[in-house]
Amino acid sequence: MSFATKTAAFFSTINPSSTTKLIIFLVLVVIWLLNLRIFYKVKNQAAFITIGMGGLFILMMIFLRPIATMPLARIVAALAGLFGRVTGFFSAFFKYGIIFVETAGGSMTLQIDFECSGIIEIMVYIAILAFFRVYTVSERAILSAVGVIYIIIANALRIIIIATMIHFGGEQMYYIAHTYIGRIFFYAATVILYFYVFTKSQVVRMKVGSFSYDKEKTETPKEGETQDEEKKEDK
């Protein structure tokens, strides 16, 4: 179980009243913003980014996860259900976030909970991108929307792979499909997203001295200009 999953499981046990939750939210936000301001003023970029990402993730985990998990599970179930309806391999009861898989030996029900909904991966992605200073604010907003859609579709494809393998291989295929094949596919899809959004953009926009990788074309002096410069050097 990953650290993010363990954190989610811990915060899932917290169920305060609405008023208490609002007070806790405001207190945590104020503490978070004060810490960000302090590290920004002292120009400690490492601490600023770390506190920013970690704090935003924890805030979303406490206050956004309970609200967004079920709607997200329904969306994933509905998207996967489109494939199941066309092929007849499985059926989706998206209102409850459930996939009903038909197999040769019977049937199997898959419940899309918060771990399978992709909410943790989405919150981690948003938390990192929010403090990834390579992009402008508008670029980060656009990439946040694109990344969320990408993760939802990738997760739906993961569910399709798992359900399809169970349909053909039976219930005994569940462990392999869920633990290995589906997880490897989803992690690979996430790595691709992170590469293009974070790694590649960082390299492309990196500047070394007066040289910048984001210049598509390097200006070269024309032939006449080169000859003029050579004449000046001869003089």
Side-chain angles (χ1 to χ4, degrees):
M1 186 179 292
S2 63
F3 172 77
T5 304
K6 292 180 180 178
T7 306
F10 170 76
F11 286 117
S12 64
T13 61
I14 302 175
N15 189 26
S17 63
S18 299
T19 304
T20 305
K21 185 178 291 187
L22 178 60
I23 294 173
I24 295 173
F25 174 74
L26 293 175
V27 171
L28 290 177
V29 168
V30 170
I31 295 173
W32 178 58
L33 292 176
L34 285 175
N35 279 277
L36 286 178
R37 180 175 177 80
I38 291 171
F39 289 118
Y40 182 79
K41 285 291 185 179
V42 299
K43 297 181 179 180
N44 190 333
Q45 290 296 317
F48 176 81
I49 294 173
T50 302
I51 295 297
M53 292 179 180
L56 182 57
F57 174 76
I58 291 173
L59 288 172
M60 289 190 294
M61 186 67 71
I62 298 174
F63 302 102
L64 180 62
R65 179 195 54 78
I67 302 172
T69 297
M70 194 59 201
L72 192 58
R74 289 171 179 169
I75 293 172
V76 172
L79 291 175
L82 294 176
F83 178 84
R85 185 183 304 173
V86 172
T87 59
F89 295 164
F90 53 88
S91 303
F93 297 90
F94 65 90
K95 184 178 180 180
Y96 306 101
I98 291 176
I99 302 292
F100 187 76
V101 186
E102 294 284 354
T103 66
S107 60
M108 186 174 185
T109 302
L110 303 177
Q111 175 71 51
I112 302 176
D113 57 11
F114 83 93
E115 289 187 22
C116 299
S117 65
I119 185 67
I120 297 176
E121 290 77 13
I122 287 174
M123 290 189 297
V124 170
Y125 173 78
I126 292 175
I128 295 174
L129 185 60
F131 290 88
F132 193 63
R133 308 294 288 276
V134 170
Y135 297 111
T136 63
V137 174
S138 59
E139 287 175 333
R140 278 177 271 177
I142 294 172
L143 285 172
S144 293
V146 172
V148 169
I149 295 172
Y150 176 92
I151 292 173
I152 290 174
I153 294 175
N155 197 29
L157 291 174
R158 178 176 73 92
I159 298 299
I160 290 173
I161 292 172
I162 294 171
T164 302
M165 291 182 65
I166 294 173
H167 172 75
F168 286 104
E171 294 184 9
Q172 63 271 18
M173 187 61 68
Y174 170 78
Y175 181 78
I176 296 175
H178 180 270
T179 306
Y180 296 106
I181 307 301
R183 186 167 294 177
I184 290 173
F185 169 81
F186 188 61
Y187 285 170
T190 304
V191 168
I192 292 173
L193 174 66
Y194 276 54
F195 171 75
Y196 280 101
V197 174
F198 300 116
T199 306
K200 186 177 180 180
S201 63
Q202 180 77 22
V203 174
V204 169
R205 303 191 183 197
M206 186 184 299
K207 291 184 178 180
V208 181
S210 61
F211 178 79
S212 176
Y213 286 99
D214 62 355
K215 294 180 181 179
E216 295 181 358
K217 295 181 180 180
T218 304
E219 294 183 1
T220 55
K222 296 180 181 179
E223 184 178 353
E225 295 176 354
T226 305
Q227 291 176 354
D228 292 339
E229 291 178 359
E230 291 178 352
K231 289 179 180 179
K232 290 179 182 180
E233 291 177 358
D234 292 338
K235 293 179 179 180

